[in-house]
Amino acid sequence: MEITELIQITVNAISIGAIYALLALGLTLLFGIMDILFFAHGAMYMLGAYAAYYLCTKLGLNYFVALPIGVILIGLIGVVMEKGLFRPIRNDHVAIIFLAIGLNWFLESTGFVVFGLRPKPVASVFTGQAHFFGATISWERAVVVLIGLLAVLALYFFLMKTRWGLGMRAFAEDPLTAELQGISNDTVCSLGFLIGCGLAALAGLLVAPIFILTPTMGSHAVLISLLVIGLGGLGSIPGALISAFIIGIIESFGTSYLGADITWGMIFIFVIIFLIIRPTGIMGVVRE
Amino acid sequence: MTRVRPDPDRQGKFLGEMKAQQKSRLYFLGLFVLLGLVPLVLRSEYYLHVLIAMFYHVIYATTYRFILRTGQFHFGAHAFVGIGAYASVLLVMRAGWSFWLAMPAAGLIAAFFAVLIGYPTLRLKGIYFAIITWGFGDTLRFIYMRFKEPFGGPLGIFAIPGPNPITIPGLITIDFSQKTHFYFLALALMIVTLYILHRMEQSRFGLIFGAIREGDRLARAVGINIMNYKVLAFAVCSGLGAMAGSFYAHYTYYISPLDFSVLLTIYLAIYTVVGGQERYAGVIVGTVVLMLAGEVFAGYSHYQLLMYSGFLIVILLFLPGGLISLPGLLTRVGSRAEEKEGEKFRNDPA
Amino acid sequence: MLLEVRNLRIRYGKVEAIRGVSLDVEEGTLVTLIGANGAGKSTILKSLSGLVPPFAGEIRFQGQMLAGWKPARIVKAGMAQVPEGARVFAKLTVAENLQAGAYLRKDKEKVALDYQRVLRHFPILKERLNQKAGTMSGGERQMLAFGRALMNGPKLLLLDEPSLGLSPLLVHEIFKIIEAIKGEGVTILLVEQNARKALEVADKAYVFETGRIVFEGPAHELMDSEEVKKAYLGG
């Protein structure tokens, strides 16, 4: 194996990992804070990608104008869902999972009806490639990596350093006691959905120029993110980050030498075996 | 050591349940007899087909529910149905087995995979089980698509032979040339499955899982190895589902990886919740009602899924007990009014 | 009157847990609510903080009816609670726990003053500011929970069984702290099953039994009452 080839595959791994990390981020947040496995995350991601299509391709908006519009719009859809659908059954964990499942496939099939079956194109914003040490990465993927990392850092900063972040972490541990400090559970949950769905939308908007847009892209993304956060340790943001890159590396090397479908089989088997040995994931945080 | 006092409330509930069970057993018997008579009256191939599809979906859904009731969030029912279908087809077409051997063998193979997957993962938190079972199903799908030999690749397997004819000398020959023959086979499979599930629920099994669900630590305290029960339940249910999958393959003559996508599990989840998971009857009602409603959109699968998932959301929010709880709720509405009287001083529902 | 409760009734489903309770807490006093475990004392506190909606009755705090108030609004109005079993945020640091207490407060200078005051009261917390709360002992957690509640800047402090599960030595210390807090002008409503200790520090006491108040009066009178002695102070 040549050294440039190795570098190239590593670069690919980082770019894949960054997308997965971004995908898993919102899901991890909702799980870590609210203990909700939010299947509809995939649908929000799909909506984000289609937002890019409608805002950029159809309305002709600049991509960087469309980005915040899409994120905020879909974040707000998340808030509406939280208030209207999730709040009434907040204490019933089984019902919440089913609700999230129902929503994901409701939105997916709505996507088929509204967006149609034909894959939609979103024009690339960045063309050309960057070169270093003999490896190439397309600029648009480089931008995804960059924004993905920024999003992770921003979320981490938000959770650890701001008052609202503190409130969310307090809520995650003990909602009732948090309420007694004046940390309104309702507000925390709305905020969680705003950020979680916003992050899903951000991922969708970012990959829109790279991936092919179909309404089913969301369900596929949820499966991947579930593997990522399962491997990382449910609810742990650093864990999700590490495992996203591990899976990125396996996928990158695997597809180069073995082929894509075999690689996915391997990733799955790897995750299962890992979880059998260490059921709490890499970071070992599992809530009872 | 704490003394466990008998709880009169629960005993009363238990007796009430017993009575209700006897009643529902009668209902079920009557229903089965009626269903057995249907082909005598109903000649339409289409309606028979709808009923047959209902029968094997009832098997999928009730076995799915049983796993759900053990407290595990199952997300890979499609994996085991698929194993059943592919295994039985390959045994018949490649190894030359008789369908009547291949079907139970397919069930056993699926049960074996269930133990393999279940033993390590059932001890994990419910969510992990969901992730792993879903991943398992999708991996299988990759395998079916990738390996043309022997799985037929993305196009699947065509021209699957029907079940081998059964001849009862001097009486009749059932050669599965007619829908009616499949009808009785599907009905028989469904009745057997329901009976097995019923017996499991009545046995220590059901009691233990009932206890676990109600947060009762008694089961654990008594020292029963819940894990083994969970694995066993998972294996039996997966095996039964796989046998239905085998039936499906030999009934439709054609299978492809698309038949066993996660959507199948989603449908089963929807049938279960919409009908009401507290009782068997609920799941069955959910399956029947939704499948009938789905016939309206036959051929427009996106609209069908749209309706199903929309239905699921509405039920979760407004009728948590599912359709089966509707009659009971209606009779109770009257007694609700009296509770309202003292609610002038109420905080917002937290 | 800082807090007036009139005919409070609370139901869980069909069961009426609190069957018409009335009590008054005057500003600057320490009022205690004693009675056996499981009698529903904590339910009253939950209801005062807005966590459990009453079925009927009135709660007035500083003359305002609290009907329909959310917990956050009640905290802001000046009622803080230390829940049973301390319930600190185990994965947050001690400093973050205290910050969580001041979650709603915008008056930065006063918050800083309160912070200093809490650290003065509980020097042990000062040594552990960056330690995760979950790594501390039971007594330390109880102190942190007190500190957190004081960070709310309360006019009325509700204490739910602060001595539960602590060693006699710690119980003694906790009650000293309660007296010190009272000394700073914070009004306290103390729910306790350790009746003797509670009556020692209280000005006024209510004895609570299965859903209703059975005795009330100045703490020293109750302490001398033969009936109360027999039933609640162990003879």
Side-chain angles (χ1 to χ4, degrees), chain B residues 86-242:
Chain B
Y86 272 97
S88 136
V89 165
L90 291 177
L91 284 175
V92 169
M93 292 177 76
R94 296 299 174 98
W97 288 29
S98 156
F99 166 78
W100 303 105
L101 266 177
M103 182 170 65
L108 284 178
I109 292 171
F112 168 75
F113 273 102
V115 173
L116 214 62
I117 295 280
Y119 204 76
T121 56
L122 280 166
R123 72 182 77 238
L124 304 181
K125 211 185 165 202
I127 299 301
Y128 276 115
F129 186 68
I131 296 174
I132 286 168
T133 46
W134 186 2
F136 178 59
D138 260 51
T139 308
L140 286 180
R141 227 152 60 86
F142 276 123
I143 292 174
Y144 300 146
M145 296 229 219
R146 157 95 190 199
F147 295 101
K148 241 184 142 68
E149 187 57 40
F151 298 112
L155 291 180
I157 303 176
F158 297 88
I160 298 166
N164 308 53
I166 307 173
T167 313
I168 301 167
L171 257 171
I172 42 162
T173 303
I174 305 170
D175 59 2
F176 295 94
S177 60
Q178 299 168 33
K179 276 250 163 16
T180 331
H181 298 167
F182 282 105
Y183 179 90
F184 282 113
L185 178 56
L187 181 61
L189 272 177
M190 180 181 80
I191 292 174
V192 169
T193 301
L194 289 180
Y195 181 73
I196 293 174
L197 293 180
H198 174 72
R199 288 307 299 260
M200 285 211 301
E201 191 137 314
Q202 295 300 301
S203 69
R204 278 156 63 94
F205 256 141
L207 290 176
I208 291 163
F209 292 130
I212 296 169
R213 258 197 321 282
E214 281 167 26
D216 197 339
R217 272 181 227 141
L218 199 67
R220 249 163 290 189
V222 173
I224 301 159
N225 189 341
I226 298 161
M227 262 303 295
N228 290 347
Y229 277 92
K230 276 194 176 182
V231 174
L232 189 59
F234 185 48
V236 169
C237 289
S238 300
L240 290 170

Side-chain angles (χ1 to χ4, degrees), chain C residues 105 109-119 150-151 153:
Chain C
R105 294 175 69 185
E109 290 100 47
K110 279 194 76 184
V111 171
L113 279 178
D114 277 345
Y115 193 64
Q116 293 311 322
R117 182 170 66 138
V118 166
L119 295 186
L150 287 177
M151 290 300 291

Side-chain angles (χ1 to χ4, degrees), chain A:
Chain A
M1 192 193 309
E2 273 183 61
I3 192 78
T4 42
E5 200 181 345
L6 201 66
I7 294 173
Q8 180 66 54
I9 294 172
T10 311
V11 166
N12 292 349
I14 290 172
S15 103
I16 296 168
I19 293 175
Y20 291 165
L22 198 54
L23 263 178
L25 203 55
L27 205 61
T28 308
L29 180 78
L30 286 184
F31 190 85
I33 303 294
M34 268 167 269
D35 211 9
I36 292 178
L37 193 64
F38 189 58
F39 276 88
H41 185 78
M44 306 318 273
Y45 161 80
M46 180 268 291
L47 287 180
Y50 274 92
Y53 169 74
Y54 280 99
L55 293 173
C56 297
T57 312
K58 285 279 183 179
L59 290 178
L61 284 182
N62 180 293
Y63 183 72
F64 287 99
V65 178
L67 214 55
I69 294 180
V71 169
I72 291 169
L73 212 65
I74 288 159
L76 289 178
I77 293 177
V79 174
V80 172
M81 286 197 317
E82 194 276 323
K83 282 185 197 271
L85 302 176
F86 285 86
R87 192 167 293 178
I89 56 169
R90 190 186 292 156
N91 298 318
D92 187 342
H93 279 250
V94 177
I96 279 189
I97 291 183
F98 279 119
L99 180 60
I101 289 172
L103 266 176
N104 187 54
W105 274 276
F106 184 78
L107 292 171
E108 180 178 307
S109 43
T110 309
F112 274 115
V113 174
V114 176
F115 305 141
L117 296 170
R118 207 177 317 144
K120 296 284 192 281
V122 174
S124 290
V125 196
F126 301 96
T127 47
Q129 291 165 327
H131 300 268
F132 56 93
F133 300 117
T136 49
I137 180 172
S138 64
W139 272 114
E140 55 186 6
R141 277 191 182 260
V143 168
V144 172
V145 174
L146 199 69
I147 298 185
L149 290 179
L150 279 179
V152 174
L153 285 177
L155 182 68
Y156 200 76
F157 178 81
F158 172 80
L159 283 177
M160 300 312 288
K161 298 290 172 204
T162 68
R163 174 174 161 265
W164 278 349
L166 177 68
M168 288 184 106
R169 285 184 293 139
F171 169 85
E173 276 200 49
D174 187 342
L176 203 76
T177 307
E179 191 83 71
L180 279 178
Q181 313 310 318
I183 301 166
S184 156
N185 290 2
D186 289 352
T187 313
V188 167
C189 288
S190 288
L191 195 62
F193 268 75
L194 180 74
I195 299 172
C197 293
L199 284 170
L202 178 66
L205 281 147
L206 284 176
V207 302
I210 307 172
F211 289 177
I212 299 163
L213 271 52
T214 65
T216 49
M217 67 192 285
S219 306
H220 183 61
V222 166
L223 176 58
I224 294 175
S225 354
L226 282 179
L227 289 179
V228 169
I229 68 171
L231 180 64
L234 290 175
S236 157
I237 290 175
L241 208 58
I242 295 168
S243 81
F245 284 104
I246 290 177
I247 290 182
I249 288 166
I250 301 177
E251 182 174 341
S252 174
F253 277 88
T255 36
S256 300
Y257 296 107
L258 299 167
D261 37 9
I262 290 291
T263 303
W264 266 102
M266 276 172 38
I267 289 173
F268 160 71
I269 292 166
F270 167 72
V271 173
I272 283 201
I273 292 175
F274 189 91
L275 289 182
I276 291 167
I277 298 168
R278 190 176 161 79
T280 50
I282 294 171
M283 295 309 282
V285 270
V286 162
R287 290 171 43 156
E288 281 301 316

Side-chain angles (χ1 to χ4, degrees), chain B residues 44-54 56 179 251-252:
Chain B
S44 154
E45 295 255 301
Y46 169 69
Y47 287 118
L48 279 180
H49 168 72
V50 171
L51 281 172
I52 292 170
M54 255 176 215
Y56 60 76
K179 276 250 163 16
Y251 167 62
T252 55

